[in-house]
Amino acid sequence: MGADEEAELPEPERTEPERTEPGRTDGPEQQAGPAGPAGLDARDRAVLALEARSWRTAGAKERAVREELGLSSTRYYQLLNGLLDRPEALAHAPVLVNRLRRVRAARRAAR
């Protein structure tokens, strides 16, 4: 069978609905992207990836948050703080999450 013959074959029709993972719903969090191996959606993984980067100039991080994630700085830090308490985030980026947890604990202790 050549490449031309393969292109002429019709695609089989699907009669079964697509199955989702047990316990997963098609809520708003699903719209952010499929869950990765650690159970985090694309936005959560993007927040952690952005936080892991180093920044050379003041304001570069806030600009990247607005441009890449479409979030305000306040919302970004709210999401990040919530991620630090999730075991999925710890499984996804253990070094980063543990470092940020230590920084957060030190700031709380300083108050």
Side-chain angles (χ1 to χ4, degrees):
M1 213 179 216
D4 294 332
E5 292 174 9
E6 288 179 13
E8 295 175 2
L9 296 176
E11 291 186 31
E13 291 185 29
R14 287 191 169 178
T15 56
E16 286 185 37
E18 294 203 19
R19 297 177 189 226
T20 58
E21 295 177 29
R24 305 273 323 239
T25 61
D26 290 336
E29 62 276 355
Q30 289 294 350
Q31 295 173 358
L40 298 173
D41 64 19
R43 182 184 66 180
D44 294 339
R45 291 190 309 270
V47 166
L48 290 172
L50 195 133
E51 187 63 28
R53 291 172 24 194
S54 59
W55 306 99
R56 292 181 181 216
T57 62
K61 183 177 182 179
E62 285 74 19
R63 188 172 28 256
V65 167
R66 280 191 312 273
E67 292 173 0
E68 295 175 24
L69 301 177
L71 299 171
S72 69
S73 293
T74 302
R75 182 65 181 140
Y76 169 79
Y77 286 109
Q78 288 172 341
L79 290 171
L80 179 62
N81 194 42
L83 278 172
L84 296 182
D85 296 326
R86 292 181 55 193
E88 297 92 351
L90 182 62
H92 178 73
V95 174
L96 173 67
V97 171
N98 282 326
R99 179 177 59 83
L100 294 173
R101 285 178 176 179
R102 284 192 305 272
V103 169
R104 181 176 67 176
R107 288 183 179 159
R108 285 182 179 169
R111 288 187 219 171

